[in-house]
Amino acid sequence: ASAGKIVMVCPKYFFPDADRVHLTNESYRWLGEYYAKAYTRVILEGGTWEPLRPLSVVRTGANIDVTFNVPMAPLVFDTTRVSNPGNYGFQYTDDSSPPAITSVTITGDTTVRVTLASAPSGANKRLRYGYSNGSYDGMGKGDRGCLRDSDDSPSRHGNALFNWCVHFDEAVN
C-alpha cells in the first residue's frame, strides 16, 4: 500500500464483546462512530488522522518518558471504563531480570513517565502497552490499558468517543 492509504482508527480492547472474538451489536455500531470520526477528518475535511500512540520513548536512569500523539489533550488514566491490569497497561522488559515498574504517572498533557525500581542494565530494553496481560476474556480483561485522551467528539448514540492508546512494543534507549 502507498503511504497515507491506510488509517489506523483505534484499538478495540475497550469495547464490550459477545464471545471473546466478536463485539456486541452495540459495540460494532460504536466502532462505526470511530470510523466515521476518522473518515470525516481524512476524506471529508482533507486532513489527517492518527490514533493515540507513542511518538518517542526516552530513558534517563530509572525513568522512561513517553511522548504521545494525542488527538485531544490532556491524557487520562481511565479505570472506570477499562479495569486496570496493573501499571495502567504498561510493562517493561529486557534480557536480564528486569526491574519492576514502581509507578506510572501522567506528567503533562501528552506525556507519561514510567518509573522503574532501578536503572535497567539488560540488553533489548522494551516498553510495552496493552501487550501481554493474559488471554482475552472480554472487556476489562486480557491485553488492554487505561490510557485515553479527552476527545469530546459528539456521538449520535450517546457513546464516549475518547481515543484509546493503541497496543505497542517500543525500544527503550
Side-chain angles (χ1 to χ4, degrees):
S2 300
K5 301 286 184 182
I6 297 173
V7 176
M8 179 186 290
V9 174
C10 66
K12 295 193 314 188
Y13 58 81
F14 62 94
F15 291 112
D17 74 284
D19 59 8
R20 297 184 180 181
V21 176
H22 302 95
L23 301 177
T24 64
N25 60 338
E26 292 89 1
S27 292
Y28 279 117
R29 181 176 61 202
W30 189 5
L31 177 59
E33 289 187 289
Y34 278 90
Y35 288 142
K37 182 170 65 169
Y39 182 88
T40 297
R41 296 204 182 136
V42 173
I43 303 301
L44 300 180
E45 296 172 356
T48 60
W49 174 254
E50 289 188 54
L52 177 57
R53 66 176 186 85
L55 295 173
S56 69
V57 178
V58 178
R59 182 185 64 83
T60 305
N63 293 319
I64 301 170
D65 293 309
V66 187
T67 301
F68 289 89
N69 173 72
V70 182
M72 181 72 69
L75 290 171
V76 174
F77 287 133
D78 187 336
T79 57
T80 302
R81 291 176 177 86
V82 176
S83 66
N84 188 352
N87 298 315
Y88 303 108
F90 287 88
Q91 297 174 317
Y92 173 78
T93 188
D94 63 30
D95 290 344
S96 71
S97 179
I101 293 175
T102 58
S103 69
V104 179
T105 55
I106 294 173
T107 55
D109 286 351
T110 63
T111 56
V112 170
R113 173 170 282 174
V114 177
T115 303
L116 304 175
S118 61
S121 59
N124 196 27
K125 297 170 183 68
R126 311 292 298 178
L127 184 67
R128 297 172 172 167
Y129 174 83
Y131 192 78
S132 57
N133 299 312
S135 63
Y136 184 75
D137 287 324
M139 185 176 156
K141 299 179 184 171
D143 298 339
R144 68 192 184 283
C146 303
L147 186 64
R148 66 165 174 83
D149 73 355
S150 298
D151 195 335
D152 60 356
S153 293
S155 163
R156 295 185 69 177
H157 301 284
N159 298 310
L161 296 177
F162 303 122
N163 299 295
W164 293 84
C165 187
V166 298
H167 305 265
F168 65 83
D169 177 6
E170 294 287 329
V172 176
N173 298 322

